[in-house]
Amino acid sequence: MHAPRHENESRPEVIYLDNNATTRVAPEVFEAMVPFLTEYYGNPSSAYRFGKLVEGHLKEAREKVAALLGCTPKEIIFTSCGTESDNMAIWSALQTSGKKHVVTTQVEHSAIMNQTEQLERMGFGVTRLPVQADGTLSLSEVENAIRDDTGVVSIMWANNETGVLFPVEEIASLCKKKGVLFHTDAVQTPGKIDLSHVAKSDIDLLSLSGHKLHAPKGVGVLYAKRRTKIVPYVIGGGQERGKRGGTENVASIIGLGRAAELSLERLADEQGRVRVLRDRFEDALLERLPDLYINGKRDQRLPNTSNIAFDFVEAEAILLDLDLLGICCSSGSACTTGSLDPSHVLVAMGLTPARARGCVRFSFGHYNSEAHIDYALKVIPPIIEKRRAMSPLSPEHRDNFAYNVEAAREKEEKLMAQTMAAINE
Ligand code: PLP
């Protein structure tokens, strides 16, 4: 099958180490979707058999997603993305509680950060809890932040930039005791940690996004625990039992159902093989390069994520060099790429802006192999050494106010040639 291309466009060969930004649609997922993009195009809300048939498949997909969380299908609401699920959870909780205050953290995804900023402009109160240097959160700070007028506590399960995990089940129990709804953005977790006990926990609301678990972009889930009142955020028809208007994105939901099944099957791979790849990658870099720090403790992170500070270099420069060599990775989240500000997550962890600007996130996944790690380990050290040798931030240049741009450029060309020779060896 040939994808339509723009003139002169060719797909670069890539080693994809950015699985927290998005994931490849699994071939099994694609296969499950095709009939719903071709022959089975009936509207699941239609009364005739051609519609009912599609409705039946939607029901099955809902059951598969429910199995991922150990909940009932009625607790699953399909949305258009993780962002919508996050926005809907907070909005609905504030509407149903009638309260005016939100507790969240300083390290949430922009879906929550920007929504809560908007809420502040509308007159709501927001408390954003700080994190420790290792990215973790203190339970007592959560407890102290809850006020009589708190309508919802929203704290992510795993951080998309660092992979650091928060004890959301404990936080949920604390919220329950205080009579406050608890939402968690769990977009980064499926297939990486076991979610099958969610329904048994005190979590009231939880967001997922299809494209982080090998389903397509543009489909999401809001889990709403039984008896949690929901006010629709997208207002329209009676779809999703009146909780989310709009004709369902049938093919993508079918794909998400298949992806949920696969992520359950592949959990052991992610927690075993992928974790080993990630750890080998980190150990080798720590051994080969000085002035390198890993953000977040290994046993408190998702098994697939490495966020690495390369001192004295700008992450953007490293990303450009790696891109030319076919490696995809990122600094910060894909949603904030292009921003000149250092990552709000890393700054909240107490990194200086200079160190935060030198941080690169590598996130591994099911389709990564030993060979990908070998290649990354071959190309990254010479690139860092080259960038450091020409960086005005390096100790060797830092105090030299007469830093000579021309000389630096010449040096860069020489070093680039050496780097390429080392890589091609
Ligand atoms: N929350 C987290 C933690 C994420 O990593 C992302 C995506 O990067 C989102 C929410 C938003 O999901 P979506 O891209 O489906 O809107």
Side-chain angles (χ1 to χ4, degrees), residues 20-21 80-84 86 109 111 156 158-160 185 187-188 208-212 218-219 333-335:
N20 286 11
S80 70
C81 57
T83 301
E84 185 193 324
D86 282 347
H109 185 269
M156 69 199 320
N159 189 276
N160 47 302
D185 174 341
V187 163
Q188 288 295 341
L208 298 177
S209 169
H211 72 105
K212 310 289 179 172
V219 61
S333 78
C335 305

Side-chain angles (χ1 to χ4, degrees), residues 25 31 55 121 156 193 278 350 378 387 393 425:
V25 172
E31 204 183 309
E55 191 193 19
R121 288 192 288 273
M156 69 199 320
I193 58 176
R278 192 272 313 259
K378 186 173 168 192
R387 284 288 168 187
L393 306 169
E425 236 172 43

Side-chain angles (χ1 to χ4, degrees), residues 72-103:
T72 62
K74 282 186 183 166
E75 294 170 301
I76 298 296
I77 305 164
F78 289 117
T79 66
S80 70
C81 57
T83 301
E84 185 193 324
S85 303
D86 282 347
N87 290 179
M88 175 176 173
I90 297 202
W91 183 245
S92 175
L94 289 174
Q95 294 296 301
T96 55
S97 67
K99 295 190 173 174
K100 287 278 195 190
H101 177 243
V102 181
V103 175

Side-chain angles (χ1 to χ4, degrees), residues 65-66 85 95 105 152 173 221 235 279 334 373 381:
V65 174
S85 303
Q95 294 296 301
T105 76
V152 62
S173 300
V221 169
I235 301 165
D279 291 353
I373 304 298

Side-chain angles (χ1 to χ4, degrees), residues 166-188:
F166 287 149
V168 289
E169 284 154 299
E170 284 172 66
I171 299 172
S173 300
L174 194 140
C175 291
K176 188 177 179 192
K177 256 189 247 148
K178 298 231 170 200
V180 178
L181 286 170
F182 178 70
H183 164 252
T184 186
D185 174 341
V187 163
Q188 288 295 341

